[in-house]
Amino acid sequence: LYIEIVRIIACLCVIFTHTMERGYFLFSMFPENSLRYWGYMMLSVFVKAAVPMFFTISGALLINREESIGQLYKKRVLKIFIVLVLFSFLYYCRYIMYDINSFSFEKFFSDLATSNWNFTYWYLYAFLSFLIGLPFLRILAKSMREKDFKYLFLLVLLYKAIIPILEYVLWRGNESFNSGIRTLWLNTDIFIYPIWGHYLEHKVDMKTVKKWIVPLWIVNILTIGITCLMTYYKIKVTGECSESNSQTFFSCFSMINVATVYITVKYWLDNIDIPKL
Protein backbone atom coordinates (compact mmCIF):
# COMPACT_ATOMS: atom_id res chain seq x y z
CA LEU A 1 0.00 0.00 0.00
CA TYR A 2 2.82 2.43 0.80
CA ILE A 3 4.06 2.12 -2.80
CA GLU A 4 0.62 3.15 -4.05
CA ILE A 5 0.56 6.13 -1.68
CA VAL A 6 3.97 7.29 -2.92
CA ARG A 7 2.68 6.86 -6.49
CA ILE A 8 -0.35 9.02 -5.69
CA ILE A 9 1.92 11.70 -4.18
CA ALA A 10 4.11 11.59 -7.30
CA CYS A 11 1.02 11.87 -9.56
CA LEU A 12 -0.23 14.91 -7.63
CA CYS A 13 3.24 16.46 -7.91
CA VAL A 14 3.25 15.90 -11.69
CA ILE A 15 -0.16 17.55 -12.01
CA PHE A 16 0.99 20.52 -9.93
CA THR A 17 4.10 21.04 -12.10
CA HIS A 18 1.78 21.72 -15.04
CA THR A 19 -0.33 24.41 -13.35
CA MET A 20 1.98 27.28 -14.41
CA GLU A 21 0.98 30.64 -12.87
CA ARG A 22 -2.05 29.03 -11.23
CA GLY A 23 0.19 26.98 -8.93
CA TYR A 24 3.69 25.88 -9.93
CA PHE A 25 4.89 29.39 -10.82
CA LEU A 26 2.44 31.18 -8.55
CA PHE A 27 5.24 32.41 -6.28
CA SER A 28 6.28 34.89 -8.98
CA MET A 29 2.94 36.67 -8.62
CA PHE A 30 3.73 37.84 -5.08
CA PRO A 31 6.22 40.34 -3.60
CA GLU A 32 9.64 38.88 -2.81
CA ASN A 33 9.37 39.84 0.86
CA SER A 34 6.06 38.03 1.38
CA LEU A 35 5.50 34.65 3.02
CA ARG A 36 3.44 33.54 0.02
CA TYR A 37 6.39 34.10 -2.31
CA TRP A 38 8.65 31.80 -0.31
CA GLY A 39 5.92 29.34 0.67
CA TYR A 40 4.76 28.78 -2.91
CA MET A 41 8.35 28.54 -4.14
CA MET A 42 9.11 25.84 -1.53
CA LEU A 43 6.05 23.92 -2.69
CA SER A 44 7.25 24.18 -6.31
CA VAL A 45 10.67 22.83 -5.36
CA PHE A 46 9.05 19.98 -3.41
CA VAL A 47 6.90 18.79 -6.32
CA LYS A 48 9.91 18.76 -8.66
CA ALA A 49 10.72 15.36 -7.12
CA ALA A 50 7.78 13.79 -8.98
CA VAL A 51 9.72 12.00 -11.74
CA PRO A 52 12.52 10.89 -9.37
CA MET A 53 9.79 9.36 -7.17
CA PHE A 54 8.55 7.25 -10.09
CA PHE A 55 12.05 6.00 -10.92
CA THR A 56 12.65 5.32 -7.22
CA ILE A 57 9.52 3.17 -7.10
CA SER A 58 10.63 1.32 -10.23
CA GLY A 59 13.98 0.53 -8.65
CA ALA A 60 12.35 -0.58 -5.41
CA LEU A 61 10.11 -3.03 -7.28
CA LEU A 62 12.22 -4.23 -10.21
CA ILE A 63 15.91 -4.36 -9.32
CA ASN A 64 15.54 -7.24 -6.87
CA ARG A 65 13.48 -9.38 -9.25
CA GLU A 66 14.96 -12.34 -11.05
CA GLU A 67 14.18 -12.47 -14.78
CA SER A 68 16.08 -13.13 -17.98
CA ILE A 69 16.75 -10.44 -20.57
CA GLY A 70 14.21 -12.19 -22.81
CA GLN A 71 11.55 -12.00 -20.11
CA LEU A 72 12.42 -8.37 -19.47
CA TYR A 73 11.87 -7.46 -23.12
CA LYS A 74 8.74 -9.56 -23.44
CA LYS A 75 7.05 -8.45 -20.21
CA ARG A 76 8.24 -4.86 -19.85
CA VAL A 77 10.11 -3.29 -22.78
CA LEU A 78 7.61 -4.46 -25.40
CA LYS A 79 4.65 -3.27 -23.32
CA ILE A 80 6.04 0.25 -22.85
CA PHE A 81 7.10 0.39 -26.52
CA ILE A 82 3.53 -0.48 -27.64
CA VAL A 83 2.09 2.19 -25.33
CA LEU A 84 4.56 4.75 -26.73
CA VAL A 85 3.78 3.90 -30.37
CA LEU A 86 0.01 3.72 -29.87
CA PHE A 87 -0.42 7.02 -28.07
CA SER A 88 2.16 8.74 -30.25
CA PHE A 89 0.12 7.61 -33.24
CA LEU A 90 -3.01 9.23 -31.75
CA TYR A 91 -0.95 12.33 -31.07
CA TYR A 92 0.27 12.26 -34.68
CA CYS A 93 -3.31 12.01 -36.01
CA ARG A 94 -4.25 15.08 -33.99
CA TYR A 95 -1.15 16.84 -35.33
CA ILE A 96 -2.18 16.03 -38.90
CA MET A 97 -5.72 17.32 -38.33
CA TYR A 98 -4.57 20.70 -37.07
CA ASP A 99 -1.64 21.20 -39.46
CA ILE A 100 -3.49 19.79 -42.50
CA ASN A 101 -0.54 17.69 -43.62
CA SER A 102 -0.77 14.45 -45.57
CA PHE A 103 -0.73 11.25 -43.54
CA SER A 104 2.36 9.05 -43.86
CA PHE A 105 3.37 5.97 -41.86
CA GLU A 106 6.94 6.52 -42.99
CA LYS A 107 6.91 10.08 -41.65
CA PHE A 108 5.29 8.92 -38.40
CA PHE A 109 7.92 6.28 -37.61
CA SER A 110 10.71 8.58 -38.73
CA ASP A 111 9.50 11.33 -36.39
CA LEU A 112 8.96 8.78 -33.61
CA ALA A 113 12.67 7.97 -33.72
CA THR A 114 14.27 11.30 -34.60
CA SER A 115 11.94 14.19 -33.75
CA ASN A 116 10.61 15.79 -30.58
CA TRP A 117 7.07 16.47 -31.79
CA ASN A 118 5.61 14.02 -29.23
CA PHE A 119 7.50 15.65 -26.36
CA THR A 120 4.56 14.91 -24.03
CA TYR A 121 5.75 11.30 -23.88
CA TRP A 122 9.38 12.01 -23.00
CA TYR A 123 8.97 9.95 -19.82
CA LEU A 124 8.17 6.83 -21.85
CA TYR A 125 11.42 7.21 -23.78
CA ALA A 126 13.29 7.63 -20.48
CA PHE A 127 11.54 4.64 -18.92
CA LEU A 128 12.42 2.50 -21.94
CA SER A 129 16.06 3.49 -21.48
CA PHE A 130 15.84 2.51 -17.82
CA LEU A 131 14.35 -0.90 -18.69
CA ILE A 132 16.99 -1.57 -21.35
CA GLY A 133 19.74 -0.90 -18.80
CA LEU A 134 17.98 -2.72 -15.95
CA PRO A 135 20.08 -5.94 -16.18
CA PHE A 136 23.24 -3.93 -15.49
CA LEU A 137 21.58 -1.96 -12.68
CA ARG A 138 20.59 -5.26 -11.06
CA ILE A 139 24.15 -6.56 -11.13
CA LEU A 140 25.51 -3.30 -9.76
CA ALA A 141 22.92 -2.70 -7.02
CA LYS A 142 22.90 -6.27 -5.73
CA SER A 143 26.69 -6.34 -5.39
CA MET A 144 26.94 -3.01 -3.56
CA ARG A 145 27.74 -2.84 0.14
CA GLU A 146 26.37 -0.27 2.57
CA LYS A 147 29.45 1.93 2.25
CA ASP A 148 29.21 1.72 -1.55
CA PHE A 149 25.65 3.10 -1.49
CA LYS A 150 26.69 5.93 0.82
CA TYR A 151 29.67 6.82 -1.35
CA LEU A 152 27.52 6.84 -4.49
CA PHE A 153 24.90 9.10 -2.94
CA LEU A 154 27.54 11.51 -1.65
CA LEU A 155 28.94 11.75 -5.18
CA VAL A 156 25.47 12.45 -6.54
CA LEU A 157 24.96 15.26 -4.03
CA LEU A 158 28.36 16.64 -4.99
CA TYR A 159 27.67 16.67 -8.74
CA LYS A 160 23.96 17.52 -8.68
CA ALA A 161 23.91 20.07 -5.86
CA ILE A 162 27.19 21.29 -4.40
CA ILE A 163 29.14 21.88 -7.63
CA PRO A 164 26.27 23.65 -9.52
CA ILE A 165 25.57 25.89 -6.50
CA LEU A 166 29.25 26.66 -5.98
CA GLU A 167 29.71 27.45 -9.68
CA TYR A 168 26.86 29.94 -9.67
CA VAL A 169 27.93 31.60 -6.40
CA LEU A 170 31.48 32.02 -7.75
CA TRP A 171 30.79 33.02 -11.35
CA ARG A 172 27.06 33.86 -11.63
CA GLY A 173 26.60 31.62 -14.65
CA ASN A 174 29.50 33.10 -16.64
CA GLU A 175 31.97 30.29 -15.92
CA SER A 176 31.90 26.67 -14.80
CA PHE A 177 34.32 24.01 -13.69
CA ASN A 178 36.04 21.96 -16.38
CA SER A 179 33.47 19.65 -17.95
CA GLY A 180 35.99 16.82 -17.85
CA ILE A 181 35.56 16.43 -14.09
CA ARG A 182 31.81 15.84 -14.36
CA THR A 183 30.60 12.24 -14.19
CA LEU A 184 27.38 12.83 -16.11
CA TRP A 185 26.18 9.25 -15.88
CA LEU A 186 25.88 9.68 -12.10
CA ASN A 187 23.43 12.53 -12.61
CA THR A 188 20.89 10.71 -14.78
CA ASP A 189 17.53 9.98 -13.18
CA ILE A 190 17.30 6.56 -14.82
CA PHE A 191 20.51 5.50 -13.06
CA ILE A 192 20.61 7.02 -9.60
CA TYR A 193 16.95 6.93 -8.56
CA PRO A 194 16.29 3.24 -9.30
CA ILE A 195 19.36 2.38 -7.20
CA TRP A 196 18.09 4.80 -4.54
CA GLY A 197 14.75 2.96 -4.57
CA HIS A 198 16.47 -0.41 -4.22
CA TYR A 199 18.43 0.92 -1.25
CA LEU A 200 15.41 2.47 0.49
CA GLU A 201 13.30 -0.65 -0.02
CA HIS A 202 15.77 -3.42 0.72
CA LYS A 203 18.64 -1.94 2.75
CA VAL A 204 16.95 0.45 5.19
CA ASP A 205 15.81 -1.21 8.43
CA MET A 206 12.32 0.14 9.07
CA LYS A 207 12.46 -1.05 12.69
CA THR A 208 15.10 1.55 13.50
CA VAL A 209 14.06 4.30 11.14
CA LYS A 210 11.68 6.13 13.51
CA LYS A 211 14.48 8.22 15.04
CA TRP A 212 15.53 9.43 11.57
CA ILE A 213 12.17 10.69 10.30
CA VAL A 214 12.15 14.08 12.07
CA PRO A 215 15.86 14.80 11.25
CA LEU A 216 15.15 13.78 7.65
CA TRP A 217 12.32 16.28 7.39
CA ILE A 218 14.47 19.00 8.95
CA VAL A 219 17.25 18.36 6.43
CA ASN A 220 14.70 18.15 3.61
CA ILE A 221 13.15 21.50 4.51
CA LEU A 222 16.60 23.08 4.89
CA THR A 223 17.74 21.87 1.46
CA ILE A 224 14.48 23.05 -0.11
CA GLY A 225 15.17 26.41 1.55
CA ILE A 226 18.71 26.48 0.09
CA THR A 227 17.21 25.74 -3.35
CA CYS A 228 14.80 28.65 -2.94
CA LEU A 229 17.61 30.99 -1.91
CA MET A 230 19.66 29.99 -4.97
CA THR A 231 16.60 30.47 -7.20
CA TYR A 232 16.04 33.93 -5.71
CA TYR A 233 19.74 34.73 -6.17
CA LYS A 234 19.66 33.74 -9.83
CA ILE A 235 16.53 35.83 -10.42
CA LYS A 236 18.35 38.82 -8.91
CA VAL A 237 21.49 38.18 -10.98
CA THR A 238 19.72 37.71 -14.31
CA GLY A 239 16.82 40.07 -13.70
CA GLU A 240 14.57 37.40 -15.22
CA CYS A 241 11.82 35.56 -13.38
CA SER A 242 10.34 33.07 -15.84
CA GLU A 243 9.28 29.46 -15.42
CA SER A 244 11.95 28.20 -17.82
CA ASN A 245 14.77 30.31 -16.33
CA SER A 246 13.96 29.83 -12.63
CA GLN A 247 14.19 26.04 -12.28
CA THR A 248 17.97 25.63 -12.54
CA PHE A 249 18.38 24.48 -8.93
CA PHE A 250 14.98 22.85 -8.35
CA SER A 251 16.28 19.28 -8.65
CA CYS A 252 19.55 19.69 -6.74
CA PHE A 253 18.39 17.94 -3.58
CA SER A 254 15.56 15.80 -4.95
CA MET A 255 17.29 12.66 -3.68
CA ILE A 256 16.80 13.83 -0.08
CA ASN A 257 13.21 14.85 -0.79
CA VAL A 258 12.38 11.46 -2.32
CA ALA A 259 13.97 9.55 0.57
CA THR A 260 12.05 11.62 3.13
CA VAL A 261 8.69 10.99 1.48
CA TYR A 262 9.35 7.30 0.79
CA ILE A 263 10.59 6.43 4.27
CA THR A 264 7.88 8.48 6.02
CA VAL A 265 5.04 6.88 4.06
CA LYS A 266 6.46 3.37 4.42
CA TYR A 267 7.04 3.73 8.17
CA TRP A 268 3.60 5.25 8.72
CA LEU A 269 1.75 2.50 6.85
CA ASP A 270 3.85 -0.23 8.45
CA ASN A 271 2.80 0.98 11.90
CA ILE A 272 -0.93 1.60 11.59
CA ASP A 273 -3.78 -0.90 11.52
CA ILE A 274 -5.73 -0.57 8.30
CA PRO A 275 -9.25 -2.05 8.61
CA LYS A 276 -10.19 -4.64 6.02
CA LEU A 277 -13.12 -3.75 3.77
Side-chain angles (χ1 to χ4, degrees):
L1 181 60
Y2 62 87
I3 291 288
E4 298 305 324
I5 298 299
V6 176
R7 275 201 184 109
I8 290 169
I9 293 171
C11 287
L12 292 173
C13 289
V14 168
I15 293 169
F16 192 82
T17 60
H18 291 85
T19 54
M20 296 179 289
E21 287 83 1
R22 298 186 299 275
Y24 186 61
F25 201 56
L26 183 60
F27 69 88
S28 65
M29 303 291 109
F30 294 93
E32 298 167 354
N33 60 351
S34 68
L35 287 176
R36 287 187 176 185
Y37 179 87
W38 294 100
Y40 283 128
M41 188 190 292
M42 291 186 75
L43 180 58
S44 298
V45 173
F46 177 86
V47 302
K48 192 66 176 179
V51 171
M53 281 186 200
F54 282 120
F55 282 122
T56 299
I57 291 169
S58 298
L61 295 177
L62 296 180
I63 285 181
N64 227 36
R65 293 194 180 184
E66 298 292 340
E67 61 184 354
S68 67
I69 293 179
Q71 290 174 321
L72 172 67
Y73 271 77
K74 187 182 299 182
K75 290 169 57 179
R76 308 190 193 284
V77 175
L78 181 60
K79 181 171 68 174
I80 298 300
F81 180 74
I82 290 172
V83 170
L84 173 61
V85 173
L86 175 61
F87 282 90
S88 293
F89 181 73
L90 296 175
Y91 198 90
Y92 180 71
C93 290
R94 177 180 178 272
Y95 180 81
I96 292 296
M97 288 172 57
Y98 281 91
D99 278 17
I100 319 176
N101 290 327
S102 58
F103 181 85
S104 168
F105 274 114
E106 181 181 353
K107 181 74 163 59
F108 166 69
F109 283 107
S110 174
D111 286 350
L112 190 67
T114 64
S115 182
N116 194 34
W117 59 273
N118 60 340
F119 64 91
T120 308
Y121 304 128
W122 69 267
Y123 180 81
L124 293 176
Y125 286 95
F127 193 70
L128 273 174
S129 297
F130 156 67
L131 290 176
I132 291 169
L134 184 56
F136 300 103
L137 285 177
R138 283 172 170 157
I139 295 171
L140 176 63
K142 289 178 181 179
S143 64
M144 289 173 67
R145 298 161 296 177
E146 180 74 18
K147 65 179 182 179
D148 298 325
F149 283 107
K150 291 178 179 178
Y151 178 61
L152 174 61
F153 302 140
L154 284 174
L155 284 179
V156 172
L157 284 177
L158 174 67
Y159 286 110
K160 286 184 74 71
I162 296 173
I163 287 179
I165 289 173
L166 186 60
E167 284 178 337
Y168 204 83
V169 169
L170 291 174
W171 298 301
R172 298 188 173 192
N174 296 317
E175 298 285 348
S176 62
F177 291 117
N178 191 301
S179 60
I181 69 171
R182 294 181 181 274
T183 52
L184 295 179
W185 61 276
L186 279 175
N187 296 339
T188 57
D189 288 357
I190 63 172
F191 171 77
I192 185 59
Y193 287 109
I195 293 181
W196 196 216
H198 174 76
Y199 177 79
L200 295 174
E201 179 64 22
H202 300 286
K203 303 297 181 179
V204 174
D205 185 1
M206 296 308 295
K207 295 178 181 178
T208 62
V209 82
K210 181 179 180 180
K211 64 182 179 181
W212 295 108
I213 291 180
V214 172
L216 257 179
W217 275 104
I218 292 173
V219 172
N220 192 31
I221 292 170
L222 284 174
T223 52
I224 290 174
I226 292 171
T227 303
C228 291
L229 287 173
M230 287 305 303
T231 301
Y232 175 74
Y233 179 62
K234 184 179 180 184
I235 290 171
K236 285 300 180 183
V237 168
T238 62
E240 181 183 351
C241 184
S242 64
E243 188 171 342
S244 59
N245 185 59
S246 303
Q247 298 185 55
T248 303
F249 302 101
F250 273 26
S251 298
C252 285
F253 298 101
S254 289
M255 192 170 66
I256 296 173
N257 195 5
V258 168
T260 305
V261 172
Y262 193 97
I263 289 175
T264 302
V265 172
K266 185 176 181 181
Y267 177 81
W268 174 54
L269 288 173
D270 278 350
N271 290 276
I272 62 171
D273 293 324
I274 301 174
K276 295 182 179 179
L277 297 177

